[in-house]
Amino acid sequence: MLKNIKEDKRLSVINHSCAHLLAQAVKHLYPNALFWVGPVIEEGFYYDIDLGDNVIKDSDLEKIEKEMKKISKDGKRIYREELSREDALEKFKNDPYKIDLINNMLDDTVISCYTQGDFTDLCRGPHVESVKELKHFKLLKVSGAYFKGDSKNKALQRIYGVCYETEQDLKEHLQYLEEAKLRDHRKIGKEQEIYMNHELVGSGMPLWLPNGAIIRKQLENYIYNKERKLGYNHVYTPCVGTVNLYKTSGHWDHYKENMFPMMKVDEEEFVLRPMNCPHHMLVYKNKLHSYRDLPIRIGEFATDFRYEASGAVKGLERVRCMCQNDAHLFVTPEQIKDEFKQVVNLILDVYKDFGIKDYKFRLSLRDKEDKEKYFDDDEMWDNAENKLREVLNELEIPYFEAIGEAAFYGPKLDVEVKPAVGPEVTLSTCQLDFLLPRRFELSYIDNKGEKQTPVVIHRAIFGTFDRFTAFILEETKGALPTWLAPIQVNIIPVNNEHHLEYANKIYSLLKDEFRVELDNREEKLSYRMRESVVRKIPYTLILGQKEVDSNTISYRKYGSEETINITIDEFVDLIRKEIK
Ligand code: TSB
Ligand code: ZN
């Protein structure tokens, strides 16, 4: 894992100072450059820059780094100066970005700026004492960013970098980044032919190739079986709904910017669904329910469409067309705790099966100020949030709280994981909702014969098959466990002339139960064996004269150099056991 630079005081200061050093170097090389903000992030720092008509490419970074080194060697001291608002506005009068920053500062903010040699920047600080201290840095990449993050505003250029106190620390950081690139599911996905994208289909709309489809089918079967045992009933519902459906649920008012626009067919107005809850509410409403029927657990592997900003779309991890491993649990208020616990235990169980250890529970709460995003009913929210806290404390799982991350209808318990490249993402989620059942006027008859409103728990264990597959490819570096691997066994006859017949026989014996390939290309044995390793196939069988004569097989397991000779029955037993 990388060190979190933002959480380390000293590293924060030197990275922030290095952002200024970057800005100074850019100013030397591009005198018209203007600077917006240059914060410290977990992985280092960046600076957002307005370069007018100039464009900085990755290939320009070396030149900028050189200039930074020169300034650093020059060794100027860094001075802090505090200014009145009037003086600050006067000092930065030719810089619209700094004027904007000053104008947005609260009245009691101490306005300060920092100067090193010929460069002054508005900044809260603190900084190192001299640019001399900034020696071990690296600029990493350039990307686009909008002023204030809003695509309606001017496009700026963002340069990323990182700075450490020692060359060794920097080296380790860069090494980690190199390894992370190899683990990136977009690279593995391409190499192993798991998914593809095509501009004619659209961005964020992956096409799952046969190998990916096998993985997905395995995941579906795996989770379906778990859910069936826990009393879930699965349904199939359409991936569109009318605008009225989403007006009823509240998505139209609170979630519209995440949805694809409406389309009209005859007199009906449709939207591609961003979530499946409304459909499942209607499935629940199809029948009258007594308290004895509850909990009712309705599951679906359901396709959803969401508008994700084009810059945010990423491989299988963040897509615009996704398939959720979704379910909605309809419960009485008394059942909330047990049902929620069942979901959390299912999450823990699944993570154990997949060997996922690095994750954090996040309690996602509403932002009380944000009346646009969140349904306005403080009592309902307080009740739901407290209930969730209670359950979490009883479960004794460690979690952190995040304001403004709740769904518009209720608070969530999310599981956060770190992908190979980029910021943390949510995998599993479990959410408590008092709102949608009310909006859909759902009911059940309680033990006194009175009508009551059920509570709904929304949950997705994998999150989406898309994101989970991305994550698992990165966790395993593409070497999937045998039960998930698209090809489980690769059979290589040493020599086609003498051993192909035997290889065909072994292939026939295995192919109905396992996913097997026979590599009878006229290529060297060493070449075919190497390729089997590159493709990360769990088992490679090597069949030569010895195996033909003794009616056995020799295999190599991925990751091992050892070749083991056993009978075919023993081999079948071995993988059967492993898969189980
Ligand atoms: C769990 N209504 C609930 C559902 O019942 C819901 O939609 N929750 S969600 O908005 O949190 O989405 C569920 C999961 O989908 C998330 O936890 C996340 O793992 C996954 N997800 C969300 N957006 C994307 C995306 N753009 N690409 C891939 N997966 C995504
Ligand atoms: Zn839902």
Side-chain angles (χ1 to χ4, degrees):
M1 275 289 262
L2 275 183
K3 214 176 203 165
N4 185 335
I5 288 176
K6 223 174 149 178
E7 281 175 6
D8 182 305
K9 237 183 184 165
R10 172 71 186 158
L11 282 179
S12 284
V13 171
I14 65 171
N15 274 273
H16 190 48
S17 302
C18 203
H20 280 224
L21 182 64
L22 161 67
Q24 185 177 11
V26 169
K27 192 84 188 164
H28 286 177
L29 299 169
Y30 307 85
N32 293 331
L34 290 171
F35 303 92
W36 167 230
V37 285
V40 175
I41 53 174
E42 272 180 31
E43 303 96 33
F45 65 85
Y46 68 74
Y47 218 126
D48 282 349
I49 309 169
D50 178 353
L51 282 148
D53 293 334
N54 282 314
V55 177
I56 292 182
K57 297 190 286 306
D58 282 332
S59 53
D60 296 317
L61 296 181
E62 211 180 309
K63 177 176 76 185
I64 302 171
E65 258 174 23
K66 243 189 188 159
E67 184 63 23
M68 289 166 74
K69 291 247 147 83
K70 206 168 113 199
I71 302 167
S72 163
K73 239 190 186 153
D74 218 18
K76 291 275 189 297
R77 278 190 66 80
I78 300 174
Y79 296 98
R80 177 185 165 94
E81 187 188 352
E82 288 182 7
L83 303 164
S84 68
R85 188 171 291 261
E86 294 68 39
D87 289 349
L89 287 169
E90 173 60 25
K91 193 175 182 85
F92 292 100
K93 66 171 184 257
N94 296 323
D95 187 335
Y97 294 101
K98 303 296 162 182
I99 297 281
D100 184 286
L101 285 173
I102 298 165
N103 285 335
N104 280 304
M105 284 176 186
L106 297 175
D107 284 344
D108 56 355
T109 310
V110 178
I111 303 178
S112 56
C113 63
Y114 284 81
T115 301
Q116 52 201 52
D118 57 4
F119 182 75
T120 300
D121 202 353
L122 186 70
C123 185
R124 204 182 319 135
H127 283 286
V128 292
E129 289 187 0
S130 153
V131 289
K132 225 170 21 194
E133 292 174 54
L134 309 168
K135 280 201 197 97
H136 310 289
F137 54 78
K138 177 92 193 148
L139 297 182
L140 297 166
K141 62 172 179 184
V142 197
S143 71
Y146 291 106
F147 176 49
K148 297 189 177 178
D150 186 338
S151 61
K152 288 185 212 93
N153 289 343
K154 188 157 188 186
L156 307 175
Q157 291 184 65
R158 176 173 294 178
I159 302 181
Y160 288 89
V162 67
C163 185
Y164 276 95
E165 292 219 81
T166 68
E167 195 58 29
Q168 181 60 24
D169 285 350
L170 176 65
K171 211 170 121 194
E172 278 171 23
H173 183 105
L174 299 178
Q175 212 169 353
Y176 178 90
L177 293 183
E178 276 312 305
E179 281 164 18
K181 269 192 218 155
L182 298 179
R183 274 200 298 133
D184 190 326
H185 78 276
R186 291 168 293 187
K187 184 174 175 337
I188 299 171
K190 195 165 181 190
E191 281 166 1
Q192 299 197 9
E193 298 185 8
I194 286 163
Y195 74 98
M196 60 175 271
N197 283 100
H198 199 288
E199 62 193 29
L200 290 178
V201 180
S203 85
M205 306 279 181
L207 287 78
W208 289 66
L209 298 170
N211 287 342
I214 289 172
I215 299 171
R216 182 148 154 189
K217 186 59 90 192
Q218 292 302 112
L219 292 175
E220 283 177 5
N221 292 345
Y222 165 86
I223 200 73
Y224 178 78
N225 279 326
K226 292 233 176 229
E227 291 179 353
R228 195 177 50 80
K229 285 183 197 154
L230 290 170
Y232 287 61
N233 290 304
H234 272 234
V235 296
Y236 293 98
T237 60
C239 62
V240 292
T242 66
V243 168
N244 282 337
L245 177 67
Y246 289 96
K247 279 189 178 158
T248 307
S249 64
H251 284 82
W252 195 251
D253 284 339
H254 299 285
Y255 201 72
K256 202 161 159 210
E257 68 277 20
N258 300 299
M259 291 161 67
F260 276 61
M262 183 265 281
M263 53 190 163
K264 225 169 162 181
V265 180
D266 296 335
E267 291 314 306
E268 286 184 301
E269 292 178 337
F270 288 104
V271 283
L272 292 169
R273 69 174 170 194
M275 291 192 193
N276 320 301
C277 347
H279 292 74
H280 291 185
M281 303 279 150
L282 298 180
V283 171
Y284 176 89
K285 218 179 164 176
N286 187 43
K287 257 168 70 170
L288 286 177
H289 297 286
S290 127
Y291 69 98
R292 284 193 214 92
D293 307 332
L294 270 44
I296 288 176
R297 307 175 183 91
I298 299 174
E300 183 172 358
F301 301 148
T303 299
D304 294 319
F305 295 83
R306 290 188 189 174
Y307 169 72
E308 296 279 1
S310 61
V313 163
K314 180 179 169 199
L316 288 178
E317 184 185 300
R318 189 171 296 280
V319 292
R320 286 176 169 173
C321 171
M322 66 199 82
C323 182
Q324 280 197 44
N325 151 228
D326 201 5
H328 294 92
L329 320 177
F330 299 81
V331 305
T332 66
E334 298 75 41
Q335 290 167 336
I336 293 174
K337 275 190 187 170
D338 281 348
E339 206 55 24
F340 211 89
K341 285 179 190 168
Q342 192 199 61
V343 173
V344 173
N345 285 330
L346 178 58
I347 292 174
L348 296 174
D349 185 31
V350 168
Y351 282 28
K352 201 163 135 234
D353 282 350
F354 282 87
I356 303 171
K357 294 195 188 85
D358 241 339
Y359 58 86
K360 282 187 270 183
F361 280 105
R362 180 184 71 193
L363 175 59
S364 304
L365 307 167
R366 79 191 185 285
D367 176 355
K368 285 185 188 165
E369 309 301 319
D370 194 343
K371 300 286 181 206
E372 206 174 305
K373 181 170 170 192
Y374 295 110
F375 189 76
D376 192 9
D377 182 340
D378 279 339
E379 198 188 323
M380 179 201 82
W381 276 101
D382 287 341
N383 183 19
E385 293 184 353
N386 289 336
K387 196 89 192 173
L388 255 189
R389 277 202 194 90
E390 248 175 70
V391 179
L392 292 179
N393 291 337
E394 278 178 31
L395 279 166
E396 293 182 3
I397 53 171
Y399 64 90
F400 68 99
E401 299 194 357
I403 308 280
E405 293 289 342
F408 76 83
Y409 46 75
K412 314 192 280 176
L413 176 66
D414 293 320
V415 183
E416 268 198 352
V417 293
K418 177 92 180 73
V421 178
E424 281 162 328
V425 291
T426 300
L427 217 52
S428 313
T429 184
C430 186
Q431 318 170 350
L432 192 55
D433 175 8
F434 291 89
L435 179 68
L436 297 201
R438 235 160 60 194
R439 296 188 65 116
F440 279 92
E441 297 177 343
L442 304 186
S443 66
Y444 66 93
I445 306 298
D446 71 9
N447 58 1
K448 295 189 191 80
E450 277 165 24
K451 230 177 171 183
Q452 301 292 351
T453 307
V455 180
V456 167
I457 295 173
H458 307 237
R459 45 106 288 175
I461 307 299
F462 286 150
T464 52
F465 290 97
D466 314 80
R467 184 169 288 178
F468 194 80
T469 303
F471 180 70
I472 222 68
L473 286 175
E474 296 187 350
E475 278 281 288
T476 59
K477 301 190 179 119
L480 292 169
T482 308
W483 72 276
L484 267 184
I487 304 297
Q488 298 170 311
V489 184
N490 188 22
I491 303 176
I492 305 181
V494 173
N495 171 314
N496 273 345
E497 197 183 329
H498 299 112
H499 315 125
L500 183 57
E501 197 186 322
Y502 185 65
N504 272 323
K505 186 180 129 196
I506 300 294
Y507 175 81
S508 305
L509 278 171
L510 294 176
K511 76 169 177 24
D512 287 347
E513 190 172 345
F514 307 106
R515 299 185 288 275
V516 195
E517 239 179 51
L518 174 66
D519 187 355
N520 58 359
R521 290 174 302 166
E522 293 293 341
E523 298 282 358
K524 274 201 183 130
L525 176 66
S526 57
Y527 175 85
R528 286 178 290 157
M529 283 176 62
R530 205 173 335 112
E531 206 180 80
S532 202
V533 174
V534 170
R535 290 173 65 200
K536 305 190 172 165
I537 298 174
Y539 288 96
T540 304
L541 303 196
I542 307 120
L543 306 179
Q545 202 52 45
K546 184 177 107 191
E547 288 75 22
V548 174
D549 291 343
S550 58
N551 202 18
T552 58
I553 59 108
S554 290
Y555 75 86
R556 264 197 199 184
K557 184 136 200 239
Y558 177 80
S560 161
E561 292 289 308
E562 203 185 350
T563 309
I564 296 172
N565 182 258
I566 52 177
T567 67
I568 187 74
D569 288 345
E570 285 169 332
F571 180 68
V572 168
D573 268 0
L574 177 96
I575 29 181
R576 259 192 208 147
K577 263 199 203 119
E578 191 194 328
I579 289 170
K580 205 164 165 217

Short mmCIF file of all heavy atoms in Angstrom, two decimals, residues 275 277 306 308 317-319 322 324 326-328 409 412 426-427 429 431 458-460 463-464 467, ligand 1:
data_model
loop_
_atom_site.label_atom_id
_atom_site.label_comp_id
_atom_site.label_asym_id
_atom_site.label_seq_id
_atom_site.Cartn_x
_atom_site.Cartn_y
_atom_site.Cartn_z
N MET A 275 -31.74 2.73 -11.11
CA MET A 275 -31.83 1.84 -9.94
C MET A 275 -33.06 0.96 -10.14
O MET A 275 -33.93 1.26 -10.96
CB MET A 275 -32.02 2.65 -8.65
CG MET A 275 -30.83 3.45 -8.23
SD MET A 275 -31.06 4.06 -6.54
CE MET A 275 -29.75 5.27 -6.45
N CYS A 277 -35.03 -0.18 -7.44
CA CYS A 277 -35.94 -0.15 -6.29
C CYS A 277 -37.40 0.05 -6.71
O CYS A 277 -38.27 -0.69 -6.23
CB CYS A 277 -35.53 0.91 -5.28
SG CYS A 277 -33.91 1.59 -5.50
N ARG A 306 -26.54 4.80 -15.77
CA ARG A 306 -26.34 6.04 -15.04
C ARG A 306 -25.48 6.98 -15.86
O ARG A 306 -24.56 6.53 -16.54
CB ARG A 306 -25.65 5.79 -13.69
CG ARG A 306 -26.55 5.09 -12.73
CD ARG A 306 -25.97 5.00 -11.33
NE ARG A 306 -26.82 4.13 -10.54
CZ ARG A 306 -26.55 3.73 -9.31
NH1 ARG A 306 -25.45 4.13 -8.71
NH2 ARG A 306 -27.38 2.93 -8.68
N GLU A 308 -22.59 8.98 -15.91
CA GLU A 308 -21.33 9.27 -15.21
C GLU A 308 -20.56 10.21 -16.12
O GLU A 308 -20.55 10.02 -17.34
CB GLU A 308 -20.52 7.97 -15.03
CG GLU A 308 -21.16 6.93 -14.14
CD GLU A 308 -20.96 7.19 -12.65
OE1 GLU A 308 -20.33 8.21 -12.29
OE2 GLU A 308 -21.46 6.38 -11.85
N GLU A 317 -14.84 -0.52 -13.85
CA GLU A 317 -15.02 -0.03 -12.48
C GLU A 317 -16.09 1.06 -12.39
O GLU A 317 -16.87 1.09 -11.44
CB GLU A 317 -13.69 0.52 -11.99
CG GLU A 317 -13.69 0.98 -10.56
CD GLU A 317 -12.35 1.61 -10.24
OE1 GLU A 317 -11.32 0.92 -10.35
OE2 GLU A 317 -12.33 2.80 -9.90
N ARG A 318 -16.09 1.96 -13.35
CA ARG A 318 -17.13 2.99 -13.36
C ARG A 318 -17.69 3.06 -14.75
O ARG A 318 -17.03 3.53 -15.67
CB ARG A 318 -16.57 4.34 -12.92
CG ARG A 318 -17.65 5.38 -12.70
CD ARG A 318 -17.13 6.64 -12.05
NE ARG A 318 -16.63 6.41 -10.69
CZ ARG A 318 -17.40 6.31 -9.61
NH1 ARG A 318 -18.71 6.42 -9.72
NH2 ARG A 318 -16.88 6.11 -8.43
N VAL A 319 -18.90 2.54 -14.90
CA VAL A 319 -19.50 2.40 -16.23
C VAL A 319 -20.82 3.17 -16.28
O VAL A 319 -21.33 3.62 -15.25
CB VAL A 319 -19.74 0.91 -16.56
CG1 VAL A 319 -18.43 0.18 -16.74
CG2 VAL A 319 -20.58 0.23 -15.48
N MET A 322 -24.52 -0.84 -16.20
CA MET A 322 -23.97 -1.76 -15.19
C MET A 322 -25.01 -2.80 -14.80
O MET A 322 -26.20 -2.61 -15.07
CB MET A 322 -23.55 -0.97 -13.96
CG MET A 322 -24.72 -0.34 -13.25
SD MET A 322 -24.23 1.01 -12.14
CE MET A 322 -24.08 2.38 -13.25
N GLN A 324 -26.32 -4.65 -11.44
CA GLN A 324 -26.24 -4.76 -9.98
C GLN A 324 -26.60 -6.15 -9.51
O GLN A 324 -27.48 -6.79 -10.07
CB GLN A 324 -27.22 -3.79 -9.32
CG GLN A 324 -26.76 -2.36 -9.24
CD GLN A 324 -27.58 -1.57 -8.22
OE1 GLN A 324 -27.86 -2.03 -7.11
NE2 GLN A 324 -27.96 -0.36 -8.61
N ASP A 326 -28.49 -6.91 -7.04
CA ASP A 326 -29.35 -6.08 -6.21
C ASP A 326 -30.39 -6.90 -5.45
O ASP A 326 -30.75 -8.01 -5.88
CB ASP A 326 -30.08 -5.08 -7.13
CG ASP A 326 -30.58 -3.87 -6.36
OD1 ASP A 326 -30.29 -3.77 -5.16
OD2 ASP A 326 -31.27 -3.03 -6.98
N ALA A 327 -30.83 -6.38 -4.34
CA ALA A 327 -32.00 -6.95 -3.67
C ALA A 327 -32.62 -5.90 -2.77
O ALA A 327 -31.92 -5.00 -2.28
CB ALA A 327 -31.63 -8.18 -2.85
N HIS A 328 -33.92 -6.00 -2.61
CA HIS A 328 -34.65 -5.14 -1.68
C HIS A 328 -35.37 -6.03 -0.69
O HIS A 328 -36.10 -6.95 -1.08
CB HIS A 328 -35.61 -4.23 -2.46
CG HIS A 328 -34.85 -3.27 -3.32
ND1 HIS A 328 -34.54 -3.54 -4.63
CD2 HIS A 328 -34.28 -2.08 -3.03
CE1 HIS A 328 -33.82 -2.54 -5.11
NE2 HIS A 328 -33.65 -1.64 -4.17
N TYR A 409 -32.69 8.60 -0.38
CA TYR A 409 -33.78 8.02 0.40
C TYR A 409 -33.37 7.50 1.77
O TYR A 409 -34.22 7.13 2.57
CB TYR A 409 -34.46 6.89 -0.39
CG TYR A 409 -33.48 5.93 -1.04
CD1 TYR A 409 -32.78 4.99 -0.30
CD2 TYR A 409 -33.23 5.99 -2.41
CE1 TYR A 409 -31.88 4.14 -0.88
CE2 TYR A 409 -32.33 5.12 -3.02
CZ TYR A 409 -31.65 4.21 -2.25
OH TYR A 409 -30.75 3.37 -2.84
N LYS A 412 -26.53 4.79 4.41
CA LYS A 412 -26.00 3.54 3.87
C LYS A 412 -24.80 3.08 4.69
O LYS A 412 -24.07 3.89 5.24
CB LYS A 412 -25.47 3.73 2.44
CG LYS A 412 -26.36 4.49 1.50
CD LYS A 412 -25.86 4.35 0.07
CE LYS A 412 -24.72 5.27 -0.25
NZ LYS A 412 -24.18 5.07 -1.59
N THR A 426 -16.74 2.36 -3.81
CA THR A 426 -17.65 1.54 -3.01
C THR A 426 -17.90 0.23 -3.74
O THR A 426 -18.22 0.22 -4.92
CB THR A 426 -19.00 2.26 -2.84
OG1 THR A 426 -18.77 3.49 -2.19
CG2 THR A 426 -19.96 1.42 -2.03
N LEU A 427 -17.79 -0.85 -2.98
CA LEU A 427 -18.11 -2.16 -3.55
C LEU A 427 -19.50 -2.54 -3.04
O LEU A 427 -20.49 -2.27 -3.70
CB LEU A 427 -17.04 -3.15 -3.10
CG LEU A 427 -16.57 -4.23 -4.08
CD1 LEU A 427 -16.14 -3.66 -5.40
CD2 LEU A 427 -15.40 -5.00 -3.47
N THR A 429 -22.91 -2.48 -0.63
CA THR A 429 -23.66 -1.44 0.06
C THR A 429 -24.90 -2.05 0.71
O THR A 429 -25.44 -3.04 0.21
CB THR A 429 -24.05 -0.30 -0.92
OG1 THR A 429 -24.70 0.74 -0.19
CG2 THR A 429 -24.98 -0.78 -2.02
N GLN A 431 -28.42 -0.43 2.72
CA GLN A 431 -29.03 0.88 2.94
C GLN A 431 -30.39 0.74 3.63
O GLN A 431 -31.12 -0.20 3.35
CB GLN A 431 -29.21 1.57 1.58
CG GLN A 431 -27.99 1.39 0.68
CD GLN A 431 -28.19 1.84 -0.76
OE1 GLN A 431 -29.31 2.12 -1.17
NE2 GLN A 431 -27.12 1.89 -1.52
N HIS A 458 -32.08 -1.79 1.08
CA HIS A 458 -31.51 -1.97 -0.27
C HIS A 458 -30.12 -2.55 -0.05
O HIS A 458 -29.37 -2.04 0.79
CB HIS A 458 -31.30 -0.65 -1.00
CG HIS A 458 -32.48 0.24 -1.09
ND1 HIS A 458 -32.98 0.69 -2.29
CD2 HIS A 458 -33.26 0.80 -0.14
CE1 HIS A 458 -34.01 1.50 -2.07
NE2 HIS A 458 -34.20 1.58 -0.77
N ARG A 459 -29.75 -3.52 -0.83
CA ARG A 459 -28.39 -4.04 -0.64
C ARG A 459 -27.84 -4.63 -1.94
O ARG A 459 -28.58 -5.17 -2.77
CB ARG A 459 -28.32 -5.07 0.49
CG ARG A 459 -29.40 -6.12 0.55
CD ARG A 459 -28.94 -7.49 0.13
NE ARG A 459 -28.71 -7.58 -1.30
CZ ARG A 459 -28.22 -8.66 -1.90
NH1 ARG A 459 -27.88 -9.71 -1.20
NH2 ARG A 459 -28.04 -8.70 -3.22
N ALA A 460 -26.56 -4.48 -2.13
CA ALA A 460 -25.87 -5.10 -3.26
C ALA A 460 -24.55 -5.61 -2.72
O ALA A 460 -23.73 -4.83 -2.23
CB ALA A 460 -25.64 -4.08 -4.37
N GLY A 463 -21.98 -5.18 -5.26
CA GLY A 463 -22.18 -3.87 -5.87
C GLY A 463 -22.72 -4.16 -7.26
O GLY A 463 -23.83 -4.64 -7.42
N THR A 464 -21.86 -3.98 -8.24
CA THR A 464 -22.21 -4.42 -9.60
C THR A 464 -21.23 -5.51 -10.02
O THR A 464 -20.09 -5.55 -9.53
CB THR A 464 -22.11 -3.25 -10.60
OG1 THR A 464 -20.82 -2.64 -10.45
CG2 THR A 464 -23.18 -2.22 -10.35
N ARG A 467 -18.06 -3.69 -11.44
CA ARG A 467 -17.05 -3.18 -10.51
C ARG A 467 -16.38 -4.31 -9.75
O ARG A 467 -15.17 -4.28 -9.52
CB ARG A 467 -17.69 -2.18 -9.54
CG ARG A 467 -16.69 -1.54 -8.62
CD ARG A 467 -17.27 -0.40 -7.86
NE ARG A 467 -17.50 0.76 -8.71
CZ ARG A 467 -18.05 1.89 -8.28
NH1 ARG A 467 -18.42 2.00 -7.02
NH2 ARG A 467 -18.23 2.90 -9.12
C1 TSB B 1 -28.40 -1.42 -3.64
N1 TSB B 1 -30.83 1.18 -4.88
C2 TSB B 1 -29.59 0.69 -4.40
C3 TSB B 1 -29.54 -0.82 -4.49
O1 TSB B 1 -30.76 -1.39 -4.07
C4 TSB B 1 -28.47 1.34 -5.22
O2 TSB B 1 -28.61 1.50 -6.41
N2 TSB B 1 -27.38 1.64 -4.55
S1 TSB B 1 -26.05 2.33 -5.19
O3 TSB B 1 -26.42 3.52 -5.88
O4 TSB B 1 -25.12 2.48 -4.11
O5 TSB B 1 -25.45 1.35 -6.22
C5 TSB B 1 -25.13 0.03 -5.84
C6 TSB B 1 -23.69 -0.31 -6.16
O6 TSB B 1 -23.44 -0.15 -7.55
C7 TSB B 1 -22.66 0.59 -5.51
O7 TSB B 1 -22.43 0.20 -4.20
C8 TSB B 1 -21.45 0.38 -6.40
O8 TSB B 1 -20.71 -0.75 -5.97
C9 TSB B 1 -22.05 0.07 -7.76
N3 TSB B 1 -21.94 1.19 -8.72
C10 TSB B 1 -22.48 2.41 -8.59
N4 TSB B 1 -22.19 3.17 -9.65
C11 TSB B 1 -21.45 2.41 -10.49
C12 TSB B 1 -20.85 2.63 -11.77
N5 TSB B 1 -20.97 3.78 -12.40
N6 TSB B 1 -20.16 1.61 -12.35
C13 TSB B 1 -20.04 0.42 -11.71
N7 TSB B 1 -20.59 0.16 -10.51
C14 TSB B 1 -21.28 1.13 -9.90
#
